[in-house]
Amino acid sequence: MQRQRSRIAGWGTWVLVGLAAVAVGNTEARAGQEVPGSAETEEVAEPDEAPKATESRAHYTIEARVDVPSRFLEGSLTLRWTNGTDQPANDLWFHLHHNAFANNRTTHLTEANGMLRGLKITDGWGWQRVTRVTVGETDLTERIRMEAPDLDETPEILRAHGDRTIFSIPLDQPVAPGETLELQLEWESLIPRVRRRTGIKDDFLFMAHWFPKLAVFEGERGWNCHRFHMNTEFYADYGQYDVTLNLPEEYAEGPDDEGRWMAKIGASGGLAEPVRVEQGRVIARYLAPTEGDRLRKDPVTQTSPLVHGFAWTADPDYLVRTKRFQYDEWAQKYHTEVQAAAIAFRRPLESIRLRDVDIHVLIQPERESQWERHYEATAVALFFYGLWWGEYPYEALTVVDPAWGASAAGGMEYPTLFTAGTSRHTAPAMYRPESVTVHEAGHQFWYGLVGNNEYEAAWLDEGLNSYTDSEVLWRHYGAQRASTRYSSLPVWGERPAPLPSSSGWIGPLTAQRWALPNPAGWRWLEGMTLRPTAVSPFVAWYRDQPFLTFVNEYTDPRWGDRTTYLRDPDVDPIETHAFAYRDRASYRTNSYQRPAVALRSLVGVVGRDAFLRGMRHFADEWRYRHPYPEDFYEAFQTGAEMDVQWYFEDLFRGTGTLDWSVRVIDRGAWKDAGFFLGDDGVWREGVAEVAPPVESAEGEEATEEGEEQEAAADPVEEAEESRLRRQEVVVSRKGTLRLPVPILVRWEDGSEQRYTWTREAQDGSQWWRLPLPESDQKIQAVILDPDRLIYLDRFMFDNQWYAQPKSGRALRWGERAFTQYHQLLHFISTFGG
């Protein structure tokens, strides 16, 4: 579905109702928006304009009780929802995300072919059921209707499909613009086994999108409430949460000497009061944002911070470690980055500051030694993301290390809390857990503070976050070093060439797969094979001989984004609904690495300072709001003060690709033959040029004696010494993308010349011959994009030309590959005795 959004001609054209903000004690007037106390607009719109709506707000008070052995949850909530659009809402739509794991015919599991994280789902199912809904004295429970957008919604289709992740409730009275509705709801759940993001594994709990959650009302477009697809994440209104959890006593530790209990629980926000233990149960109440955060104004919006969800986790095995992120410490370490940001944002250096933040790490005992690495990766994300995209406005951030067997909960972001993912025997150069930690911490900004619709524009947070996390990783950790694991034990380096395939005739030849004959046609023998070389990890180590055959590989994560982008560069436009890409590979490429590569190349087009200003303007303008792609394009260009709409049209709404190449032709020096006309009008044989008349010091023409002296020099010898070379450089382009590309020409004396093949010059032409000056110097090198600012080129091996290429690296790599296959053949030969 193509999103249509209205535009306004200028600030303050429309003024909408603000009773919502008054009702919840949180007036949120932004620059260019007034929030009066009247339900009437103050001006009349032009026919082609629409009112500029404020944002709706959803505030939850939740109580939940969990019985861990039975996986059963009972909950109740009070929802106060304010309609911030210009249209009345006649009904309410809710998500029941856990119903995606109720059976194998839900949208989520159908699209995943019944597989989650590579495993067929046969047990551990879960579900949610609303048992009561009331608005005031009116019971609406009987009005609940299960919905399935994008399907033929007949009762038969709904029953056959098995998806119960959305329901709607008609209202007696519409919720008018600016009005606030209060609703009470009760529900119960069977918590699913952890297989994607949420659930239970033994006594480990991770609860995400675990309560009936209101969808987003978008005025004329209605409720934006998509089914829970395999490739989609989430979308919700901002608000405040007050959540009380009731769990078994095993999730608390204590009491200490002063009678205080410590909960082995992590949650969005922070504790509102001390933990209590009563009748074998631990009671923990959380506020998100915390009370302290609510009293502190966000420095960007000058309003109280908000969140758009609440997640929590509990595990008796958690070790809780806390360390404070201190801005001054990091600013001193990266003072040049702070100075660069001040210049880019045109702000005084002393005005660049971020708040200090408590980082809580919930680590598993077997990985306790890694807790400070989790802290460091989180802290560096808070520093750089905050420096570039605006301060993290909350007092704490919680990092969760999922339990063994619950890794499916890892690598996911929630308000003020996220899950990482690691293993034992790792080093920082491996980027584990550093990469996932920086990425998920970064989501506190992209999607946490700028709340795009992840169903329809997942790239708006994943792509912007992927761009940023690679920039952060490179600055703080340097290149990622490749490693290979044998039974979870790492060895530095990797194979220089792949192992032989097990398919076709190679499989039997290398003893990887021998199909057993079955002349009798026994069913139990059908499809059985022997795999003599299917070896244990330790035998594989002997086979590979890594210390003899492996090569070191170091990867700049920014160029790693490009490598992944090249796997699927032109199947779908980036600007595609997350559930509408061709397949999961296209979803991942176009939501993560491809927009990261497009943004990084945009830096090369507009310059780094303009890029930072454009991105920061978008982040500030849409903080605690719901932007769509066109909002990003508009805000970026406003902040960058540049018109690059063509770039967004080509790169984000198209599927064009680009491949530059350069060709250099050197035919050597001219050998003069024939007659040449001199400047004096005389034809001479074999002489290409003659020196002009010599002038005297007074500027008069030289004497006859002076002319005779000049003529005494041999003109042919002079021409031989300054003979010009026949050289040409031709730059070519394949693909439909047209980007300006700088070109560097280096001569043998070390001098350089730069050219630019402009976007306009590429219109209608796939090649350009450089206008080289006449010279007797040989060209030593020609390099396209010498500063490596454009990452979109599909094949970069032909982007440079050198008169004397180096071949030593290829020889060294080839020697390692030869050794690897020599060892492999020796290993296979042992199976023949």
Side-chain angles (χ1 to χ4, degrees):
M1 183 189 310
Q2 180 65 37
R3 178 174 175 80
Q4 301 293 330
R5 288 175 66 86
S6 301
R7 288 278 175 253
I8 62 171
W11 295 109
T13 305
W14 288 93
V15 181
L16 293 179
V17 179
L19 295 176
V22 176
V24 298
N26 183 25
T27 302
E28 298 170 306
R30 293 178 58 94
Q33 290 178 256
E34 298 179 23
V35 189
S38 171
E40 297 181 358
T41 56
E42 297 181 357
E43 297 182 27
V44 178
E46 296 296 329
D48 60 344
E49 295 180 338
K52 183 175 182 179
T54 60
E55 299 291 322
S56 298
R57 296 297 181 227
H59 304 273
Y60 291 83
T61 301
I62 304 175
E63 294 184 0
R65 185 183 193 279
V66 177
D67 181 70
V68 173
S70 65
R71 299 191 285 130
F72 195 72
L73 180 149
E74 293 179 290
S76 63
L77 65 82
T78 297
L79 167 67
R80 297 186 310 283
W81 177 69
T82 301
N83 181 0
T85 76
D86 61 340
Q87 298 292 318
N90 298 313
D91 55 5
L92 301 175
W93 284 54
F94 287 82
H95 293 279
L96 292 172
H97 290 106
H98 279 198
N99 279 348
F101 311 107
N103 57 67
N104 63 353
R105 289 162 70 180
T106 67
T107 297
H108 196 100
L109 286 175
T110 299
E111 293 176 349
N113 195 30
M115 307 281 287
L116 292 178
R117 299 291 177 114
L119 298 175
K120 194 79 171 179
I121 306 304
T122 58
D123 59 7
W125 308 103
W127 48 259
Q128 287 174 304
R129 179 175 62 195
V130 175
T131 57
R132 182 177 172 83
V133 182
T134 59
V135 174
E137 300 299 323
T138 305
D139 191 324
L140 305 180
T141 309
E142 297 300 321
R143 303 185 191 181
I144 292 176
R145 169 186 164 88
M146 304 309 298
E147 306 280 359
D150 310 323
L151 286 176
D152 182 0
E153 298 178 24
T154 65
E156 293 76 15
I157 290 293
L158 287 175
R159 282 196 296 270
H161 193 266
D163 193 288
R164 301 291 184 274
T165 57
I166 297 173
F167 72 91
S168 66
I169 306 174
L171 299 173
D172 288 335
Q173 296 292 330
V175 183
E179 288 186 350
T180 297
L181 173 140
E182 184 170 296
L183 171 146
Q184 286 76 39
L185 182 149
E186 298 174 7
W187 86 99
E188 57 189 21
S189 300
L190 180 66
I191 302 173
R193 164 75 162 83
V194 175
R195 289 196 175 91
R196 178 162 290 170
R197 303 188 180 102
T198 186
I200 188 169
K201 168 62 168 67
D202 299 329
D203 51 6
F204 168 83
L205 282 160
F206 195 89
M207 302 297 288
H209 306 285
W210 53 283
F211 56 91
K213 194 170 187 180
L214 188 69
V216 178
F217 186 62
E218 297 186 327
E220 291 185 358
R221 195 184 181 198
W223 288 96
N224 193 298
C225 192
H226 292 285
R227 287 173 287 144
F228 191 5
H229 294 269
M230 175 184 67
N231 291 332
T232 57
E233 292 182 359
F234 310 102
Y235 184 40
D237 282 324
Y238 284 93
Q240 298 174 345
Y241 288 76
D242 185 335
V243 179
T244 301
L245 302 175
N246 184 320
L247 301 174
E249 186 178 357
E250 63 185 285
Y251 293 98
E253 184 180 86
D256 61 14
D257 294 339
E258 298 180 6
R260 294 174 301 189
W261 293 82
M262 184 182 75
K264 294 298 188 78
I265 302 171
S268 297
L271 282 168
E273 58 192 36
V275 174
R276 309 192 313 272
V277 175
E278 301 172 353
Q279 299 178 347
R281 308 285 297 182
V282 55
I283 314 297
R285 178 174 171 238
Y286 292 87
L287 294 179
T290 64
E291 188 67 32
D293 287 336
R294 298 182 191 193
L295 296 175
R296 181 182 185 271
K297 298 295 186 181
D298 185 302
V300 175
T301 64
Q302 294 303 309
T303 62
S304 297
L306 300 170
V307 296
H308 52 42
F310 186 95
W312 61 274
T313 180
D315 187 344
D317 293 333
Y318 277 144
L319 300 178
V320 182
R321 301 289 183 264
T322 298
K323 189 173 181 179
R324 192 167 181 80
F325 161 78
Q326 295 180 312
Y327 169 75
D328 289 341
E329 173 188 341
W330 289 86
Q332 183 177 5
K333 179 179 179 65
Y334 290 107
H335 62 278
T336 56
E337 293 286 352
V338 178
Q339 292 172 346
I343 293 171
F345 299 134
R346 301 164 179 165
R347 293 176 53 187
L349 183 62
E350 59 273 12
S351 70
I352 306 291
R353 287 207 59 82
L354 304 174
R355 75 175 298 177
D356 295 345
V357 179
D358 286 329
I359 299 175
H360 306 300
V361 180
L362 307 185
I363 198 80
Q364 296 297 323
E366 66 271 23
R367 295 189 284 267
E368 182 184 5
S369 61
Q370 295 187 26
W371 82 265
E372 286 194 275
R373 289 171 56 191
H374 284 77
Y375 157 79
E376 182 178 349
T378 305
V380 73
L382 288 176
F383 174 74
F384 278 107
Y385 281 76
L387 180 66
W388 295 331
W389 318 137
E391 177 184 275
Y392 177 79
Y394 314 106
E395 66 182 41
L397 180 56
T398 299
V399 189
V400 178
D401 176 28
W404 182 89
S407 61
M412 193 62 197
E413 70 279 2
Y414 309 96
T416 77
L417 176 148
F418 67 90
T419 56
T422 187
S423 58
R424 301 179 70 184
H425 313 300
T426 68
M430 297 177 184
Y431 278 19
R432 183 173 176 86
E434 284 72 15
S435 178
V436 67
T437 304
V438 170
H439 181 85
E440 302 307 336
H443 272 303
Q444 299 300 315
F445 297 81
W446 299 124
Y447 182 64
L449 295 175
V450 180
N452 57 290
N453 183 344
E454 291 189 303
Y455 291 96
E456 298 183 11
W459 66 269
L460 259 181
D461 65 284
E462 297 294 358
L464 275 60
N465 193 27
S466 295
Y467 162 80
T468 313
D469 72 45
S470 292
E471 297 292 329
V472 173
L473 287 166
W474 173 252
R475 281 165 171 76
H476 189 65
Y477 294 102
Q480 180 181 18
R481 187 178 181 185
S483 63
T484 303
R485 286 184 171 265
Y486 296 95
S487 188
S488 78
L489 299 176
V491 175
W492 290 118
E494 62 179 15
R495 301 179 187 92
L499 293 172
S501 171
S502 61
S503 61
W505 59 270
I506 300 178
L509 181 65
T510 58
Q512 294 184 82
R513 182 180 53 81
W514 289 342
L516 295 179
N518 187 18
W522 291 328
R523 294 186 60 183
W524 60 270
L525 196 56
E526 289 180 2
M528 292 189 65
T529 59
L530 293 178
R531 301 178 182 274
T533 57
V535 296
S536 72
F538 298 105
V539 176
W541 181 91
Y542 171 77
R543 175 199 65 200
D544 293 344
Q545 293 294 303
F547 298 114
L548 294 176
T549 63
F550 276 21
V551 294
N552 282 317
E553 181 182 64
Y554 296 88
T555 303
D556 181 334
R558 300 170 298 181
W559 288 95
D561 289 340
R562 174 181 175 271
T563 300
T564 306
Y565 148 72
L566 291 177
R567 296 173 186 169
D568 209 359
D570 56 1
V571 170
D572 292 306
I574 292 173
E575 194 179 312
T576 300
H577 290 178
F579 52 84
Y581 291 110
R582 182 188 65 178
D583 50 32
R584 184 160 178 80
S586 178
Y587 156 74
R588 292 197 63 82
T589 298
N590 287 289
S591 297
Y592 292 77
Q593 281 78 24
R594 188 174 170 208
V597 168
L599 290 170
R600 192 162 287 115
S601 299
L602 181 56
V603 177
V605 173
V606 303
R608 179 163 178 79
D609 286 357
F611 176 82
L612 287 176
R613 287 194 297 273
M615 293 285 285
R616 180 60 171 267
H617 184 73
F618 169 63
D620 288 352
E621 180 71 11
W622 289 94
R623 202 168 175 98
Y624 309 124
R625 299 173 64 198
H626 300 313
Y628 278 84
E630 57 268 35
D631 300 313
F632 168 62
Y633 307 150
E634 180 180 313
F636 179 90
Q637 293 175 90
T638 300
E641 301 170 335
M642 299 182 72
D643 181 1
V644 287
Q645 186 64 31
W646 61 267
Y647 189 91
F648 295 121
E649 295 292 337
D650 290 351
L651 270 296
F652 291 82
R653 288 175 168 162
T655 57
T657 58
L658 172 68
D659 177 23
W660 288 312
S661 62
V662 60
R663 183 182 63 174
V664 177
I665 301 174
D666 186 350
R667 296 185 176 91
W670 287 96
K671 294 183 179 180
D672 299 339
F675 288 87
F676 295 87
L677 183 64
D679 292 338
D680 57 358
V682 177
W683 288 90
R684 292 182 176 82
E685 184 176 5
V687 181
E689 58 183 29
V690 174
V694 178
E695 295 185 354
S696 67
E698 290 77 15
E700 298 176 354
E701 195 169 291
T703 61
E704 292 185 3
E705 290 81 6
E707 291 177 359
E708 292 174 357
Q709 291 173 2
E710 291 292 329
D714 188 346
V716 176
E717 289 182 4
E718 225 177 77
E720 294 264 358
E721 293 175 1
S722 60
R723 189 169 290 161
L724 303 178
R725 302 190 67 81
R726 296 180 295 171
Q727 300 173 111
E728 64 179 47
V729 175
V730 177
V731 181
S732 300
R733 172 179 58 85
K734 295 179 181 178
T736 58
L737 287 183
R738 293 183 293 118
L739 299 180
V741 55
I743 305 162
L744 172 69
V745 177
R746 183 179 298 125
W747 305 90
E748 63 181 343
D749 64 356
S751 61
E752 296 180 348
Q753 286 179 289
R754 286 182 178 255
Y755 302 83
T756 299
W757 191 16
T758 66
R759 185 171 182 273
E760 292 72 21
Q762 295 177 46
D763 188 12
S765 178
Q766 298 293 109
W767 61 273
W768 181 42
R769 181 177 287 109
L770 269 61
L772 297 175
E774 293 184 339
S775 175
D776 60 353
Q777 293 282 324
K778 289 184 179 181
I779 295 175
Q780 287 298 305
V782 179
I783 306 171
L784 306 185
D785 184 26
D787 298 320
R788 291 297 184 97
L789 297 177
I790 307 298
Y791 291 68
L792 293 161
D793 194 302
R794 296 189 65 173
F795 303 101
M796 287 190 169
F797 62 87
D798 54 2
N799 281 17
Q800 53 275 317
W801 177 92
Y802 294 95
Q804 296 179 337
K806 297 180 180 179
S807 59
R809 295 178 180 176
L811 291 175
R812 290 194 296 271
W813 190 279
E815 181 270 332
R816 286 279 173 153
F818 176 81
T819 304
Q820 173 188 323
Y821 282 119
H822 175 270
Q823 179 64 26
L824 178 63
L825 291 173
H826 177 73
F827 174 78
I828 294 174
S829 69
T830 61
F831 286 88

